[in-house]
Amino acid sequence: MSTAHRAAVSLDGAWILHLPGDTEAREVSVPGTWTTQVPGYGDSHESVRFERTFEAAPLQGQRVILRFGAVNHTADVRVNGIEVGSHSGAWEAFEFDITDAVTDGRNTVEVTVSYPPRYGSDVEAGFLEHPVGKQSWYGTTAGIWQSVVLEERHPAHVRALSVRADAASGAIAITGVLASDAVDGATARVLRAGEVVETAALDISDGELSGSVTVVAPALWDLDAPNLYTVEVSLQHAGETIDAVSRETGFRSFRTDAGRFYLNDREIYLRAVLDQDYHPEASSAPEDFAAWEGMLRETKALGFNMLRVHIKRPDPRYYEIADRMGMLVWTELPSWMTWTPETAADGHALLRRLIDEDGHHPSIVIWTIMNESWGIDLASATQRAWLREVFDDIEQHAAGSLVVDNSACEPNFHLRTHIDDFHVYRGIPESRPVWDAKIADFASRPEWTFSPHGDAERTGAEPLVLSEFGNWALPHALDQYDADGGEPWWFALGADWAFGAAEGTGLMSRFQALGLGAAFGSWDALVRQLHRAQLVANRYQTTSIRLHDDISGYVLTQLSDVQWEANGLFDMNRTPKQYTAEFALANGEHAVALRVEAYSVYSGEDLGLTVTSLPSPDGLPADAVIRMRVNGETVAEFAVPTEREEQTMRIALPAENGQSLVEAELLAGGALLARDAADVLVVDPTAWTGGAVRAGDREVTNWLGALGVPVTRDGELLVVRTFTAEAQQHARSGGRVLLLAEQADALGSAFDYLPSARLTSRAGDGDWVPRTEWLDRSGAFAEVPGETVLGIAFEDVLGEFVISGIPGPLRSAIVHSAIFSGWLRGAATSTATVRWSQGSVTISTMRVRTALDKAPIARSVGLALLRAANGG
């Protein structure tokens, strides 16, 4: 008996692209998105025509099939001028029988690719009524974005095949669709490592095949043992095999019980990372899948055991990589933004088809229907009922995997779900207390994660998962400029996000104009500090989640930057950010959490702290120890039990003014398993030597007294909380004023001209796109410990307000501390010295007075403010 193989010719490579009105043809690569390959078209909705030639010599009696992996969005296909078919939808493979259009020799294929209009009409649905995922964020990814292949097949061939492996029974269910019933039989073979382990005949009826094969005692697919089986289905006719297709699958179980996850009946803790699956220049698929597999293996080495592929279907090879490397996948239906009955029905049908096509991958263990209620109005009872109906159906259709109805964030919620997941973004350091409170509340299984409309069906046993959190850090960015120094086209796309803070346009000009070059020394120095701030924030938040035993996993946002969205562990070019490797020590099977009583202490004080060992569900090794270090020197070491344990202690810090790194390390067998750390500032309570100071009110007098600053009635430096008439007169007379701007009206009317300055709130996102406050540690602030970017130690000192308009066209100033958001946008000052009439005014919104009893660093900053205002 002979075996027939499908003769295949790849049509990948160079295609000719015709743009509307173009007099010249352009060459683009297929697979690939044309909008990322043609400069100036990154957000285009144009209809374009692809063209290429191919050679063919069809065999007598064979059919010629033209197969597309995926085209975004509508493809109208012609071969030698003959229309052979059309397909709409960005995410699925499709094929056409072109036998009657192909001739011997040279042939021409043309594909007209159309993209939905930005705004819909009664005639045609708009862009946001289609499941486009995040193409509304990062520009269009239109074009032939997956491979094209020409195949010769027997007229009776397998058109579609779906397999499902059941770990409990060892059975592999097989269903398929045939092009013709003209076959004598169908056989399924199951192979492992190339060796046949089972064979079975399949049933054929009305153009469909079905059946199952049972593997006795199958080797399970697992994280450290990704055992795979190949299911080969062949068709027989007249004693010969006329067609054969195969799928790889694996046996595994994935379930929940009492709020925990179980893989193959072994409890696991989910350590996931969000992957947008966008690639350099915002391509939908990587150019080099071998390199991409290396990237995902690097991701696993960082401690992650799951990828959450975010609201898109990746190239199917993505799942194949995950299968081979033993990485769990949480995958999702591509999102839309406008709900209509037609859109909803199409989305439901698409999800069913994706499960049919991709459900054989053992790596896929979770499916999401909606994300953050994008495309659904959960205030509508009709739409909530639709979501519930879809969940009930998908729960059955994706049997063996878990289903999330709506991966929720405020103010949306769940109706019925296998996982009680929620998204929480809070910036560190400014929102650390809010973060701690929110996570503690979430761990208590609060009512607000489910529908308040009386239609929620909550069991109370759904695992709790923080399914989005994370912090930004700008990439080096300069390596993403073009050869002529031009900025990336996507810099401008961020203008509509986070109050404009995500727009990169003019980045390096702003870096200099804001004085950041002088404050940080170089762009690289700023980027290094931002990367370290990201590590500190992500590590703190990850260990915070793990401290709550009732939470069963998390999803860090995100694996790599996508254009302007700079919260990746890697940048857009797949370069790891400078402290990404260190994050692995908070993200492994075991962890340790260090919590200090204070992030700043006075010289000579001991530091109180708590250290908690956080074992995997299997427990710690028997020889596990925790080692405490200060600035790299071991100060304590003690054994810990295999179970979770919390210990409190006090340690001594160096007496010198400066920043100390306190670390808790978890070791076993001499190997480092986990590490947590805290930057603690040691403040030398140096006495004030600048002479007597005038106080504007009793509160200021008390503050100065606490600092050890003598108070007088006639000193040159006047400290006030409001720029009163007395303070203004003092400045007019050539005096110096320090204004502690604690209230919104602290400036009075003294800066109203045009106006030139205002106190405003710390506007911007701040939690998703972070606000970064920095302090120029030269001059008067040289003795303030820490780095230029302010860390957790300053959380009580950061003020409610910032100063807009200073410096500005009408007010030059010496900037001592300031703030920016995202891509150096939303910049404002928090401390500045300006000339005012014949004198000078130093204005600061830092809460140095009210924070003095909480944070010793407030003393150091307060004395520095006095020095700066006093001309020092």
Side-chain angles (χ1 to χ4, degrees):
M1 180 181 290
S2 64
T3 300
H5 298 281
R6 296 178 175 183
V9 176
S10 172
L11 297 187
D12 290 352
W15 286 57
I16 301 301
L17 178 72
H18 299 275
L19 294 173
D22 239 358
T23 57
E24 292 184 12
R26 303 167 185 260
E27 189 175 277
V28 295
S29 294
V30 169
T33 54
W34 77 264
T35 49
T36 64
Q37 298 182 59
V38 181
Y41 286 84
D43 197 30
S44 175
H45 284 243
E46 297 277 5
S47 292
V48 298
R49 180 167 55 89
F50 290 80
E51 179 183 335
R52 72 157 290 165
T53 60
F54 62 91
E55 298 291 328
L59 295 174
Q60 186 68 27
Q62 293 288 91
R63 307 303 295 178
V64 181
I65 307 297
L66 181 62
R67 178 178 175 80
F68 294 83
V71 175
N72 190 6
H73 182 266
T74 298
D76 296 299
V77 183
R78 303 173 73 88
V79 175
N80 297 327
I82 300 171
E83 185 175 343
V84 296
S86 63
H87 177 269
S88 185
W91 308 108
E92 299 169 273
F94 59 94
E95 59 187 36
F96 304 117
D97 187 327
I98 63 171
T99 308
D100 296 335
V102 171
T103 61
D104 283 342
R106 182 163 294 237
N107 295 265
T108 300
V109 58
E110 298 173 278
V111 184
T112 299
V113 176
S114 302
Y115 205 71
R118 295 182 190 277
Y119 193 81
S121 65
D122 293 338
V123 178
E124 183 176 8
F127 173 55
L128 294 179
E129 294 172 56
H130 292 280
V132 298
K134 279 197 171 180
Q135 293 175 71
S136 59
W137 292 46
Y138 307 129
T140 59
T141 54
I144 307 173
W145 71 278
Q146 289 188 29
S147 290
V148 185
V149 66
L150 198 67
E151 290 184 349
E152 289 189 10
R153 304 179 190 169
H154 190 279
H157 58 264
V158 179
R159 291 179 56 196
L161 179 67
S162 180
V163 303
R164 293 290 183 278
D166 178 66
S169 63
I172 302 176
I174 302 170
T175 58
V177 178
L178 305 183
S180 167
D181 274 343
V183 296
D184 296 338
T187 303
R189 299 195 309 165
V190 179
L191 302 91
R192 183 182 177 206
E195 299 292 329
V196 177
V197 295
E198 296 291 346
T199 304
L202 301 177
D203 297 326
I204 298 174
S205 176
D206 297 327
E208 296 185 350
L209 59 84
S210 61
S212 66
V213 185
T214 298
V215 177
V216 178
L220 298 183
W221 181 94
D222 212 322
L223 300 177
D224 296 322
N227 296 299
L228 294 172
Y229 290 81
T230 300
V231 180
E232 183 184 273
V233 173
S234 58
L235 305 181
Q236 291 80 42
H237 180 69
E240 292 189 343
T241 295
I242 58 174
D243 191 40
V245 293
S246 63
R247 293 283 187 274
E248 274 198 323
T249 192
F251 295 91
R252 59 96 185 123
S253 65
F254 193 74
R255 63 181 177 85
T256 69
D257 183 56
R260 306 293 184 183
F261 293 101
Y262 291 85
L263 174 63
N264 299 331
D265 295 326
R266 185 186 78 258
E267 183 183 344
I268 67 166
Y269 186 90
L270 294 189
R271 305 185 310 277
V273 64
L274 187 91
D275 183 14
Q276 311 265 17
D277 190 40
Y278 276 79
H279 303 273
E281 290 299 320
S283 176
S284 300
E287 295 181 357
D288 184 338
F289 271 87
W292 183 236
E293 180 163 353
M295 168 75 179
L296 293 184
R297 290 190 181 279
E298 194 173 350
T299 302
K300 187 172 183 179
L302 289 173
F304 294 106
N305 57 21
M306 173 177 278
L307 297 163
R308 179 185 170 201
V309 187
H310 197 35
I311 51 178
K312 69 175 292 236
R313 186 198 187 202
D315 185 296
R317 287 171 288 185
Y318 187 107
Y319 298 139
E320 293 170 9
I321 292 171
D323 287 348
R324 286 196 300 271
M325 64 186 287
M327 177 71 87
L328 300 173
V329 174
W330 177 342
T331 196
E332 305 181 319
L333 174 65
S335 62
W336 59 88
M337 288 305 295
T338 303
W339 195 94
T340 67
E342 295 78 15
T343 299
D346 288 347
H348 182 190
L350 172 61
L351 182 54
R352 287 182 61 91
R353 294 195 301 271
L354 294 183
I355 293 169
D356 288 340
E357 183 64 26
D358 298 331
H360 62 96
H361 292 287
S363 56
I364 301 176
V365 295
I366 303 173
W367 297 86
T368 293
I369 302 169
M370 309 297 290
N371 176 70
E372 295 184 348
S373 75
W374 296 355
I376 188 170
D377 176 8
L378 290 178
S380 163
T382 298
Q383 295 180 41
R384 292 198 308 275
W386 170 84
L387 181 57
R388 174 57 192 273
E389 291 168 4
V390 173
F391 178 88
D392 291 345
D393 175 65
I394 297 302
E395 180 183 36
Q396 300 303 314
H397 202 64
S401 296
L402 305 180
V403 182
V404 173
D405 60 340
N406 173 53
S407 191
C409 70
E410 293 177 306
N412 50 80
F413 45 76
H414 294 286
L415 288 161
R416 179 171 178 246
T417 181
H418 292 148
I419 303 172
D420 188 352
D421 75 310
F422 217 76
H423 307 171
V424 178
Y425 290 102
R426 294 292 184 270
I428 305 291
E430 64 179 333
S431 297
R432 187 178 72 98
V434 178
W435 163 269
D436 286 345
K438 190 72 174 180
I439 300 311
D441 193 15
F442 177 68
S444 72
R445 204 174 290 275
E447 293 183 358
W448 45 259
T449 64
F450 272 75
S451 172
H453 298 286
D455 51 359
E457 186 175 331
R458 181 181 201 168
T459 68
E462 299 89 351
L464 295 171
V465 174
L466 242 295
S467 51
E468 284 189 31
F469 74 100
N471 294 268
W472 277 44
L474 293 183
H476 182 263
L478 299 183
D479 58 354
Q480 299 184 39
Y481 285 58
D482 64 28
D484 297 325
E487 296 177 339
W489 64 269
W490 46 261
F491 263 20
L493 290 184
D496 295 327
W497 296 97
F499 306 95
E503 182 181 4
T505 305
L507 176 66
M508 298 313 297
S509 296
R510 283 196 307 285
F511 173 69
Q512 295 299 339
L514 295 175
L516 298 174
F520 286 88
S522 68
W523 170 253
D524 286 344
L526 168 60
V527 170
R528 182 195 69 78
Q529 291 200 33
L530 293 178
H531 286 190
R532 190 169 190 280
Q534 181 190 46
L535 165 68
V536 170
N538 283 347
R539 180 171 57 195
Y540 181 89
Q541 293 185 328
T542 299
T543 54
S544 293
I545 296 167
R546 297 181 77 157
L547 275 168
H548 291 283
D549 190 54
D550 291 320
I551 299 178
S552 295
Y554 54 81
V555 183
L556 176 73
T557 306
Q558 63 184 331
L559 181 56
S560 62
D561 293 349
V562 185
Q563 299 179 1
W564 47 265
E565 190 176 357
N567 47 4
L569 295 174
F570 296 76
D571 67 19
M572 192 73 175
N573 291 336
R574 308 306 183 215
T575 302
K577 292 182 180 174
Q578 294 181 44
Y579 296 90
T580 289
E582 176 69 16
F583 177 72
L585 291 171
N587 191 49
E589 282 283 340
H590 312 288
V592 60
L594 168 67
R595 291 297 179 265
V596 296
E597 288 183 356
Y599 284 87
S600 68
V601 298
Y602 286 116
S603 177
E605 289 185 343
D606 286 346
L607 176 69
L609 55 84
T610 300
V611 183
T612 306
S613 57
L614 301 169
S616 74
D618 294 331
L620 286 171
D623 60 347
V625 298
I626 284 180
R627 180 173 64 197
M628 301 300 304
R629 302 201 305 170
V630 176
N631 297 331
E633 298 293 329
T634 300
V635 296
E637 186 169 303
F638 51 89
V640 291
T642 58
E643 302 293 320
R644 171 179 172 144
E645 182 180 71
E646 177 183 297
Q647 294 202 26
T648 60
M649 67 184 68
R650 304 194 70 82
I651 61 173
L653 297 179
E656 297 81 12
N657 189 78
Q659 179 168 295
S660 286
L661 179 64
V662 180
E663 297 171 295
E665 296 182 333
L666 178 65
L667 303 96
L672 179 62
L673 303 180
R675 178 161 56 212
D676 197 6
D679 296 317
V680 180
L681 304 184
V682 177
V683 177
D684 181 3
T686 305
W688 169 253
T689 60
V693 174
R694 289 176 60 182
D697 60 40
R698 183 176 296 279
E699 296 297 327
V700 171
T701 299
N702 293 339
W703 174 65
L704 292 171
L707 291 178
V709 177
V711 176
T712 183
R713 293 186 178 182
D714 56 2
E716 182 181 353
L717 175 60
L718 171 63
V719 183
V720 296
R721 292 186 298 151
T722 303
F723 201 33
T724 60
E726 176 190 3
Q728 294 175 32
Q729 183 57 45
H730 183 72
R732 285 193 187 96
S733 302
R736 303 178 187 275
V737 177
L738 171 59
L739 172 58
L740 303 179
E742 300 169 353
Q743 303 296 328
D745 59 353
L747 295 182
S749 59
F751 293 89
D752 277 354
Y753 180 65
L754 287 184
S756 65
R758 280 284 186 270
L759 291 183
T760 59
S761 66
R762 295 166 63 90
D765 188 300
D767 287 322
W768 176 51
V769 179
R771 292 183 284 254
T772 298
E773 188 135 8
W774 56 270
L775 175 67
D776 185 347
R777 284 186 160 81
S778 63
F781 293 85
E783 295 181 16
V784 177
E787 293 200 290
T788 308
V789 168
L790 301 185
I792 295 176
F794 291 84
E795 63 186 356
D796 294 317
V797 179
L798 302 182
E800 181 181 351
F801 304 103
V802 292
I803 310 161
S804 62
I806 296 178
L810 300 179
R811 293 283 179 185
S812 58
I814 300 172
V815 176
H816 305 292
S817 69
I819 187 173
F820 61 80
S821 297
W823 290 79
L824 313 188
R825 293 285 182 178
T829 307
S830 54
T831 305
T833 299
V834 298
R835 299 295 300 173
W836 197 90
S837 190
Q838 292 178 247
S840 67
V841 182
T842 298
I843 308 168
S844 182
T845 61
M846 289 193 173
R847 296 182 292 190
V848 291
R849 186 185 66 84
T850 56
L852 186 59
D853 291 338
K854 301 182 202 174
I857 193 62
R859 175 185 178 86
S860 184
V861 177
L863 291 173
L865 286 176
L866 290 167
R867 288 194 295 270
N870 210 31

